[in-house]
Amino acid sequence: MHHGHTYSLARTQTRSHCLSTRLVRPPPQSAPIFFLSTMFAKTAILATLAASASAFTPTTPSMAISFPKLGKAKTAKAVIPTVPDEDKPLTERLGGVGVSKPFAEGFDPLGFATRADAQEMIKYREAELKHGRVAMLAVPGFLLSEDFHPFFPNLPKWEYGIFALQDTLEQSSGVVGLAGAILAIAAFEARSFKAWEVPEGTPGSEASTYFKMKTDIVPGATLPAGPWTSDKLSPEEFVGKQTAELNNGRLAMIAIFLIVLQEVTSKLPAAEFDASTLEFIGNVFATPGDLFGL
């Protein structure tokens, strides 16, 4: 009886131990989860090997990118280099005004245009026109006043121009006349102020507008009047008149320089000197033997 009870108790403990052991052991991994993890590892390994192999394998272009795109192709715009105004010929500057024979490329003996931009070129042309106009008035005035000066009857005649001006200023009426002439010139010049830029910035700097003229003006058109203005002529005729005025002004500037130089060196009025010169030439042609001793 005792032995049977002991045997039964031992069997019960053994079965309990096995049952506890079976409950503690972790359940085995299910087949679907194991299969998925194994496939994922294989896929990662294959992707790594494929990426490594593609670095050494030339790729074949895809058909999707072998066809050109439809539509207009965009073409790059050609960049046209800009030529500085100083390097442009005179035929392309200021509308080609002043270019005529025998100077087919323009009259610029001192090279002012080669160091002037568009704005500076307008100022040079304005100065050339004003000097030319003054010279055109000075040539006949210089020659005429040496013999004909009705406003100053007490002045001597046939006295060359530089001394004649001094004699005129020594009279009170001459001083009044000079003052009136200066005021008239100032009033006329005041009309050209609208052609200048409003002075701004630091004088001498590149951005400064001091002593700069506007670029949208017609040089010399301070007081447009008369039958030769742009509104009364065709563009071709107006350019021709502008060129004629420039050429006459250039000739007059050279002429007044030579007249003054001649009078200073000869100490004779220009008209008297020219008359004696012409008389000498006439005598030479009349009696050539007297000149050459024949």
Side-chain angles (χ1 to χ4, degrees):
M1 184 70 182
H2 177 74
H3 290 286
H5 177 73
T6 303
Y7 175 76
S8 299
L9 181 61
R11 289 185 62 183
T12 301
Q13 291 177 350
T14 303
R15 293 176 63 182
S16 301
H17 176 72
C18 292
L19 181 61
S20 64
T21 304
R22 190 182 304 170
L23 294 173
V24 172
R25 182 184 300 175
Q29 190 175 12
S30 62
I33 298 175
F34 177 76
F35 177 75
L36 290 176
S37 62
T38 304
M39 289 298 295
F40 178 76
K42 289 181 179 180
T43 303
I45 293 172
L46 290 175
T48 304
L49 293 176
S52 301
S54 64
F56 302 97
T57 304
T59 59
T60 302
S62 173
M63 292 295 292
I65 61 174
S66 61
F67 295 101
K69 294 182 179 180
L70 298 177
K72 294 182 179 180
K74 294 183 178 179
T75 57
K77 294 182 179 180
V79 179
I80 301 176
T82 57
V83 180
D85 291 315
E86 296 86 343
D87 297 336
K88 293 181 180 179
L90 289 175
T91 54
E92 300 180 8
R93 307 187 70 178
L94 297 178
V97 176
V99 179
S100 61
K101 296 180 180 180
F103 303 100
E105 297 181 356
F107 181 77
D108 187 23
L110 300 180
F112 283 100
T114 59
R115 52 181 182 270
D117 56 13
Q119 199 169 32
E120 198 76 8
M121 186 66 180
I122 291 179
K123 186 168 69 173
Y124 285 161
R125 177 55 55 84
E126 181 87 4
E128 183 181 21
L129 282 167
K130 288 184 178 181
H131 282 85
R133 290 166 179 173
V134 171
M136 285 188 285
L137 293 173
V139 170
F142 209 86
L143 300 176
L144 185 63
S145 63
E146 292 178 344
D147 183 53
F148 180 75
H149 35 73
F151 296 104
F152 307 99
N154 297 327
L155 292 179
K157 293 185 178 183
W158 298 105
E159 186 177 24
Y160 73 97
I162 295 178
F163 286 169
L165 176 62
Q166 181 178 351
D167 293 339
T168 303
L169 295 179
E170 289 177 355
Q171 299 185 16
S172 58
S173 58
V175 175
V176 174
L178 178 63
I182 293 176
L183 290 176
I185 294 172
F188 185 80
E189 284 294 317
R191 294 181 57 90
S192 65
F193 289 169
K194 60 183 179 182
W196 295 82
E197 294 282 1
V198 177
E200 295 178 351
T202 304
S205 63
E206 186 176 356
S208 173
T209 57
Y210 278 84
F211 310 110
K212 291 184 178 180
M213 301 194 73
K214 298 177 180 178
T215 56
D216 58 346
I217 65 168
V218 178
T222 303
L223 184 62
W228 299 320
T229 56
S230 59
D231 58 338
K232 297 182 179 65
L233 300 173
S234 65
E236 295 77 11
E237 292 174 337
F238 184 63
V239 171
K241 292 298 182 183
Q242 286 180 299
T243 302
E245 182 184 23
L246 272 172
N247 288 337
N248 287 320
R250 292 163 178 169
L251 178 61
M253 285 188 283
I254 297 173
I256 192 63
F257 171 76
L258 294 177
I259 289 172
V260 173
L261 180 64
Q262 172 188 296
E263 290 197 350
V264 170
T265 55
S266 66
K267 299 296 189 297
L268 293 173
E272 183 178 349
F273 180 86
D274 294 341
S276 59
T277 302
L278 291 175
E279 183 180 359
F280 172 78
I281 295 175
N283 293 333
V284 168
F285 282 100
T287 55
D290 294 340
L291 179 63
F292 298 103
L294 299 178

